[in-house]
Structure formats: structure tokens, C-alpha cells
Amino acid sequence: SLPSATPPSPATMRTISFVLAAIFVAGASASLFDLITISDPPVSNSGITFSRTVSNVAAGFNALVTFSTGCSSTDKYGSNDCSFDWGESLTVTYNASFGSPITAGSTFSVNLKIDNLVPFKFSCALCGATCEFEVPVIKKKVSIPLPACPIAPAGIANVTKFTIPANPGIPTTSIKGTVNAYDASGKPLVSVAIDASA
């Protein structure tokens, strides 16, 4: 059971959602941006900050996720070390290609901790299904339709615009962990380590 300390606000989930979308949409699906609308974000005076480290990249897997503003560094995977203000409008451009089609049986797994305390874990198909999971503490059920299988090697590309909500006045929260994707044989496609706060 969880410790008796005050649990993270339900608003924590928008930050989790934002981070997942930001660093992983190129490897999975544009529909991960639907996560952004789950709930209100937690607060800090500075807004949302995050960094990510990409590793275990399969041959032929290429992904680029770029934010229009707010990031202090870039690498071959796009924007990194980012800080966004509450209420800020952003444009995200993403483009991904794969060495081979993403077929039925391909999966991704999320293994995060909220405030280094509350585990948030789930696994879903990368295509051909609906990703369903429950947000810890608040017991919020989430359902996200994913694209049909197979996803062609040419991959996905899009530009998405959204506005981070206004500061709702809720305590600061941290989120750390990894997101991993695997092909149908279980071979790793990519691993992304996340370190975020809001």
C-alpha cells in the first residue's frame, strides 16, 4: 500500500501525458497527444520542465520531435532540456520512420514514478488496438485508440498545436522513469528515460 503522505494531485496526469506525448509520439502514434486532455496540470512557478535520454535504438529507427520554443538543446532526436510556461502555446513537429513495419504484437511499456514514490506502469500494443490503463491514486481510467497495423516503414509525421493550461495553483510534482518500445519479436525498438517536473 502507498504511504500516508498526501498523494499527488489528479492534475499530475496532464504533466505525465504531456511528457509521454512529447518524447514518445514519434515512436508510437499521434493519438498519444490525446493524453494531454486527461486532466489539469500540477503547478510550479516556472511551469513544466523535462529532459529525455534516448538509447537502445534499433537499426533503421529514426525519430525527430521538435518544439517551437522553450528548449535549450537539441540532438538527432529533436528538442531536449525544455521548459514551458503555464498558458504557453506550442507547436510540436514530429517525424518518425522505422527499419521495418510496426506489426501486430509490437508493444510499448511505461514505467514511471511520481514524486519518487507512486509507481505508474502499463503496457500497450503499438498498433491495432486501444491502449487502456488506469492512473494511480486517482483511479482514472484512460482509453486511447491506436492506429491500425501495420504502420509502414515510412512512419508518421505531423504538426500539432496546443496550449498548456493556466497555472491552477497546485503543488510541484516530479515524474521520472522510462518508456520502451518493442517489435513483435520482443526486440527493443527504442528506450527513452524521462526526468520531468511541474
Side-chain angles (χ1 to χ4, degrees):
S1 61
L2 297 177
S4 59
T6 302
S9 164
T12 296
M13 268 317 297
R14 184 183 286 270
T15 302
I16 295 175
S17 304
F18 176 80
V19 173
L20 288 176
I23 56 87
F24 197 61
V25 67
S29 164
S31 60
L32 282 180
F33 274 100
D34 294 341
L35 283 167
I36 294 170
T37 63
I38 292 173
S39 60
D40 292 330
V43 71
S44 68
N45 291 330
S46 59
I48 296 173
T49 65
F50 79 90
S51 61
R52 52 100 186 115
T53 302
V54 180
S55 61
N56 297 327
V57 181
F61 184 98
N62 297 289
L64 184 69
V65 181
T66 304
F67 291 92
S68 56
T69 187
C71 301
S72 63
S73 68
T74 59
D75 58 20
K76 64 181 180 180
Y77 303 108
S79 301
N80 200 9
D81 300 315
C82 302
S83 297
F84 306 117
D85 294 330
W86 300 119
E88 185 174 3
S89 295
L90 297 171
T91 300
V92 179
T93 302
Y94 55 92
N95 192 326
S97 59
F98 319 108
S100 57
I102 302 297
T103 59
S106 300
T107 63
F108 71 94
S109 63
V110 174
N111 186 355
L112 303 175
K113 276 197 173 181
I114 304 167
D115 291 335
N116 293 315
L117 179 67
V118 182
F120 178 37
K121 299 181 180 181
F122 65 91
S123 296
C124 287
L126 273 173
C127 61
T130 298
C131 181
E132 297 180 339
F133 59 91
E134 183 176 272
V135 180
V137 181
I138 63 172
K139 306 300 182 183
K140 169 78 173 182
K141 294 186 181 296
V142 180
S143 180
I144 305 170
L146 296 172
C149 296
I151 301 175
I156 56 174
N158 204 354
V159 177
T160 298
K161 295 182 179 181
F162 62 94
T163 299
I164 298 174
N167 186 331
I170 301 171
T172 301
T173 297
S174 67
I175 303 160
K176 295 181 180 180
T178 58
V179 179
N180 297 284
Y182 306 91
D183 67 16
S185 72
K187 179 182 177 181
L189 291 173
V190 64
S191 178
V192 183
I194 305 163
D195 188 347
S197 63

